[in-house]
Amino acid sequence: MDVDKDTKTSPSKLGAVGNLSASTLEVQLHPLIVLNISEHYTRIKAQEAKERQVYGAILGKQNGRHLELCNSFELIVTDDHGKKASSKSIPKVDLDHLHTQLEQFDQVFPELDFLGWYTTGGPPTTADTELHRSFLTVHENPMLVKLDPAIKPSCEHLPVTIYETIIDVVDGEATPVFNQTLYTLAAEEAERVGIDHVANVSAVVSGDVNGGTESASIAAHHLMTQYNAIKMLDSRIRIIVQYLKAVESEYLPIDFNILKEIAGLGQHLPAIDKSLFDSHFYQQCNDVALVALLASITKGANSLHKYMNKFNLIYERQGGSRRHRSLFL
């Protein structure tokens, strides 16, 4: 895992944000979270044709004062009337959805815990503080990650700010105060390849790389090279097969020199035990089919679970007895 120690945050203008030097946390941020937040914001903006603040949960690992923020997922946040929260309303997080998502992630990534939440925009607002209180029931000191989509493209720093929470007494009431903290970027090999691909593709689409004539990333170059090599090999094999068929049908005369070269190519192929190859091949096919079947079963179970929740909710509103509802619990 590579760590970029030169990545720093910029100071916030919010008065409730503490001094950067006062924080003793060591925070490592994985680029996957930045990509998830950016994708979430861009998708909602494209779907609704307007800018809207988005929200999500942060998962990671914690060892004392060392935090590693690894992954994230979206959250359902509404206002007091059950509608999507806007910048003028007081947001309210769906804690039931949050706990359900955490249970599902725990089955796949048991080493990751809930460490905080993310949103978009500038410095923390009063609405962010009110929403932050909801997460105190899940984690005693949740982190806040904010991505500023209004940042200028010429900015040299990553437009991401991370805050830790300090409970302070304001006007006789315990109030969470956001203390901005420094962080470093930590990336696995797969993340570096993905970021390189996304960055180069984005530059090509926007025409920022050599007038838009350069072709994508290192990963795309490598895959395209392999594709061209396999395509050329397939075309050469087809030519040999067509020649042998033409000779067999006496459409072309027999050329023993060419046949000798073809036989030499065949002899260079590695000798394999067909029965052993078939056994391993069918085993891999069965494994792939089993994974696809498990995915289908999981999807069906999830649909059934949602159906049971909706049935119980409607039945409870109609005043159904618990004795009859127990079948669907």
Side-chain angles (χ1 to χ4, degrees):
M1 179 175 63
D2 291 349
V3 177
D4 184 3
K5 296 184 178 180
D6 296 331
T7 304
K8 297 182 179 180
T9 58
S10 56
S12 174
K13 298 180 181 179
L14 187 65
V17 177
N19 192 346
L20 283 170
S21 61
S23 177
T24 59
L25 281 178
E26 295 182 12
V27 181
Q28 290 184 344
L29 177 66
H30 281 253
L32 177 61
I33 294 179
V34 182
L35 292 177
N36 288 345
I37 301 174
S38 177
E39 186 275 334
H40 188 187
Y41 172 80
T42 305
R43 171 164 43 83
I44 296 299
K45 181 179 178 181
Q47 291 175 350
E48 302 182 0
K50 63 179 181 179
E51 296 185 1
R52 182 168 66 85
Q53 195 171 2
V54 297
Y55 305 88
I58 300 292
L59 302 178
K61 306 174 185 177
Q62 182 173 5
N63 184 12
R65 299 290 290 174
H66 176 79
L67 280 76
E68 184 178 354
L69 309 182
C70 304
N71 204 346
S72 64
F73 61 85
E74 302 175 17
L75 289 177
I76 300 177
V77 177
T78 58
D79 58 13
D80 294 336
H81 303 287
K83 300 181 180 180
K84 293 181 179 179
S86 62
S87 58
K88 299 180 180 180
S89 61
I90 301 299
K92 181 179 179 182
V93 64
D94 188 342
L95 293 178
D96 293 335
H97 173 264
L98 172 61
H99 288 295
T100 301
Q101 289 290 92
L102 289 177
E103 291 176 359
Q104 295 177 354
F105 267 87
D106 185 64
Q107 296 176 6
V108 183
F109 306 104
E111 71 280 1
L112 299 183
D113 299 318
F114 175 82
L115 296 182
W117 60 289
Y118 73 77
T119 186
T120 53
T125 61
T126 304
D128 293 335
T129 303
E130 293 299 324
L131 183 62
H132 193 81
R133 297 177 186 270
S134 302
F135 295 104
L136 294 177
T137 60
V138 185
H139 193 281
E140 60 181 4
N141 187 20
M143 305 293 294
L144 170 59
V145 178
K146 296 207 71 173
L147 184 146
D148 188 1
I151 201 71
K152 295 182 179 179
S154 59
C155 180
E156 297 180 356
H157 298 290
L158 192 66
V160 175
T161 310
I162 300 181
Y163 303 91
E164 66 171 323
T165 309
I166 298 177
I167 303 299
D168 195 6
V169 178
V170 179
D171 297 333
E173 182 181 358
T175 305
V177 177
F178 296 109
N179 185 39
Q180 186 176 346
T181 180
L182 294 174
Y183 63 89
T184 56
L185 285 178
E188 302 290 346
E189 178 65 24
E191 289 179 308
R192 293 200 302 272
V193 173
I195 292 172
D196 173 75
H197 181 75
V198 171
N200 283 277
V201 169
S202 299
V204 171
V205 172
S206 61
D208 294 337
V209 179
N210 296 336
T213 59
E214 189 173 325
S215 60
S217 64
I218 297 176
H221 279 298
H222 179 66
L223 294 176
M224 185 59 66
T225 301
Q226 290 184 336
Y227 171 77
N228 291 332
I230 294 174
K231 186 177 180 181
M232 181 179 295
L233 176 62
D234 179 71
S235 64
R236 299 296 176 84
I237 293 177
R238 290 178 181 273
I239 293 174
I240 294 176
V241 172
Q242 292 175 359
Y243 173 77
L244 293 176
K245 288 182 178 180
V247 171
E248 183 181 13
S249 62
E250 298 182 355
Y251 181 77
L252 292 177
I254 298 177
D255 189 330
F256 291 100
N257 292 329
I258 296 179
L259 293 179
K260 185 183 294 184
E261 292 181 1
I262 295 176
L265 289 175
Q267 293 175 359
H268 281 83
L269 295 176
I272 59 175
D273 185 353
K274 186 177 184 303
S275 60
L276 183 62
F277 171 79
D278 290 344
S279 175
H280 290 171
F281 177 75
Y282 287 125
Q283 182 179 358
Q284 291 185 2
C285 289
N286 292 335
D287 291 342
V288 173
L290 179 60
V291 172
L293 179 60
L294 289 175
S296 300
I297 294 175
T298 303
K299 185 177 180 180
N302 185 39
S303 300
L304 179 60
H305 179 70
K306 291 181 179 179
Y307 170 77
M308 292 188 327
N309 287 339
K310 293 179 181 178
F311 181 88
N312 290 332
L313 180 61
I314 296 175
Y315 201 80
E316 186 176 18
R317 287 179 178 177
Q318 295 177 352
S321 63
R322 189 172 184 83
R323 179 174 61 85
H324 291 90
R325 290 195 303 115
S326 61
L327 176 62
F328 296 93
L329 292 177

